[in-house]
Every structure is written in C-alpha cells, then in structure tokens.
Amino acid sequence: MSHLAGNSISAIKHAFTHVTQEKIFSNNPFIVKQTGKLIKTKINHFNVVKNFLNGKKTFGESENLRKLLAEYFDPSLFETLKESHKEVVVSVSNFTLNKVEYKKLSSCSYEDFLDWIWVSCNFLPFMSLVVKNRFEYADGGFGCIIAIEEAIKMGATEIDAIMLNTEVQQLNRMRSRNTFGGVLSTLDFMGDQILEDNIKVGQLLAQQKGVKSRIFYSPKVLTTNSLVFDQEEMEKWWQEGWEHAQKQSTIS
C-alpha cells in the first residue's frame, strides 16, 4: 500500500514476482517439494525443534522478510509519503491486549512503521511473534482481514477492496493428512469467517454513510498452496489480475 500511495506500481510487481521462501524465512518451518505440477508440503522438524531450543514461540522465524521490506520501503519513500500527506495504515493484532490496532504512517518514525509493516505480515504460528513496546504482535488478519469499517471511520469516501480469493468457493479443501494440515485448515476456516464478517459489516456501514465501495475478487483460484513461489506463474497472476480489475472498473 505504501508503494501504491507513492505510485510505484512497478516496484510492487517486481517484489511480488521475485519473492522466494528464502527471502521470507530466517528459519523456514516448511519443506516444499514440487514434482511437475504436484506439490507436497511438510513440516521441517529439525528447524522447528531448533526454533524451540532457541527459546522462540513459533515454528519458524521471518526476520529475512524484515530485511526484504527495508530494501523496497526505504527512507526516501517514507519521507515522500509524509510530505504528500497521503495516509498509509497497517493493521496489527496485539495479542497482549487482545485487540486489533491500526498504525498510521503519519504518526510513526521510519523504523517504527517498517516494523509495523513487518508485523502485519507475520502469520502465526509459522512466522515471527514480534515483541514491540512490551506487547506481543502479529498479523492484523487474526482480528480484521479487510478493514472497510475502519477505513470509513477514518473518513474514507471511496473504497476499493482487493481479495485474493474468488467470490464463491470453487474448491473444497482436501482432508488433513497430518497435524500441520489440520492447523492450516483451522486457520483458513477462521480467516474465511472473519473475512465474511468484515465484508458484511463494512458494506452495511458503507450504505449507511453513503460511501462508494467496490470489492474486487480473483476470477479464479490462484493456488491451493501459498507456500510455493513460482516467478513465471506469479507474473501470469499479475497480468490476469490487472486485466480483470480493468474490466471490473469499467463495468462498475
């Protein structure tokens, strides 16, 4: 969102299409094997045990992602956005206080806002649980996935919400084969319910307040395994998404 506010679309595309597991995880809890189109994912027990022995509270660590974010979101972009008076907001879950918090670029220093962007990406229990200001934080999606309601409260008069899933579920989830699969299925189910509630409440409030709200869904299922990064495939997704959004914008 920071690059969108800074009109740096090409940087977003480059970051999206060039990301790898190595650029995210400093301690990767997964082993991903791909044979042709068949993808198998399982827990890396050695790395998980190593993480616990080091006193960590999660299966893996995502400190490499913090470094990657710093490469793309540098101080010059931060200062440009501050001077433009465009507001960029990220949501984080405060597990200590049991609530979702919204962090504004205009109220933060560069290092603090970079931390909040990183925190907002950390999907537990597979990524880092971040301690900041003596509180434990992680992905804001544990409490709010699409913050339409909060955007309206902050004064938004037009809202475009982008979903990475289809409007109607097109595939049933496979039965869990192990504990790892069970945890993922549980988290996916909870996320779907939170997302559905966010959209219903947000759309209702938008109607009441006279706010123009549009929701863009993916035209097809992109992947059934978000742990695998294929540059060629992701470039196709980018182009397909771009064309689909243009068509939807014309229709609406």
Side-chain angles (χ1 to χ4, degrees):
M1 294 309 299
S2 57
H3 287 71
L4 188 60
N7 199 30
S8 301
I9 308 299
S10 59
I12 302 176
K13 181 178 180 180
H14 186 274
F16 174 71
T17 56
H18 287 76
V19 69
T20 63
Q21 283 189 309
E22 290 74 22
K23 292 181 179 180
I24 293 176
F25 293 105
S26 48
N27 187 39
N28 192 346
F30 305 115
I31 296 175
V32 179
K33 291 186 178 180
Q34 184 171 1
T35 305
K37 293 186 177 181
L38 181 63
I39 299 171
K40 292 184 178 180
T41 306
K42 61 181 181 179
I43 286 288
N44 187 325
H45 293 91
F46 177 80
N47 282 358
V48 170
V49 171
K50 182 175 67 174
N51 223 41
F52 290 154
L53 291 177
N54 287 333
K56 304 296 183 180
K57 301 176 182 178
T58 54
F59 296 159
E61 292 295 315
S62 60
E63 293 175 4
N64 286 357
L65 177 58
R66 175 62 167 75
K67 298 174 183 177
L68 179 66
L69 289 169
E71 291 178 18
Y72 282 93
F73 185 67
D74 56 29
S76 62
L77 176 57
F78 176 80
E79 292 300 330
T80 298
L81 291 175
K82 273 211 168 185
E83 292 172 2
S84 71
H85 302 295
K86 292 180 181 179
E87 191 64 275
V88 179
V89 185
V90 296
S91 63
V92 295
S93 294
N94 186 326
F95 286 173
T96 307
L97 298 181
N98 196 33
K99 68 176 185 178
V100 176
E101 297 177 359
Y102 299 92
K103 306 299 183 180
K104 297 181 179 180
L105 181 145
S106 61
S107 304
C108 295
S109 66
Y110 168 72
E111 290 293 337
D112 277 343
F113 196 67
L114 193 57
D115 279 343
W116 292 130
I117 296 175
W118 175 47
V119 167
S120 73
C121 300
N122 281 336
F123 187 66
L124 300 187
F126 306 109
M127 301 172 77
S128 299
L129 177 65
V130 181
V131 177
K132 190 171 176 63
N133 302 330
R134 295 181 296 179
F135 298 135
E136 290 183 329
Y137 285 99
D139 184 359
F142 287 105
C144 181
I145 292 179
I146 188 73
I148 299 175
E149 181 181 5
E150 187 64 25
I152 294 173
K153 290 180 180 179
M154 289 184 181
T157 56
E158 293 186 22
I159 297 174
D160 287 341
I162 302 173
M163 308 295 165
L164 297 181
N165 53 345
T166 56
E167 187 169 5
V168 179
Q169 184 173 321
Q170 297 180 2
L171 294 175
N172 291 328
R173 291 196 177 97
M174 299 293 291
R175 291 178 59 182
S176 303
R177 294 183 177 180
N178 48 41
T179 304
F180 165 62
V183 170
L184 279 181
S185 294
T186 302
L187 293 172
D188 284 344
F189 178 82
M190 293 170 61
D192 287 346
Q193 302 309 306
I194 294 171
L195 177 61
E196 187 175 330
D197 289 343
N198 289 165
I199 293 175
K200 287 180 179 178
V201 173
Q203 291 291 72
L204 180 60
L205 186 60
Q207 292 176 3
Q208 292 175 349
K209 300 292 185 179
V211 173
K212 182 180 179 182
S213 176
R214 300 185 300 180
I215 298 179
F216 296 87
Y217 291 93
S218 172
K220 67 175 185 179
V221 176
L222 299 178
T223 180
T224 56
N225 194 327
S226 58
L227 303 175
V228 177
F229 304 100
D230 184 306
Q231 182 175 344
E232 183 178 345
E233 190 72 17
M234 295 170 83
E235 286 178 349
K236 291 180 182 178
W237 294 346
W238 177 278
Q239 189 60 36
E240 290 170 356
W242 188 275
E243 293 172 0
H244 178 68
Q246 286 182 318
K247 293 177 182 177
Q248 293 298 107
S249 297
T250 302
I251 294 173
S252 59

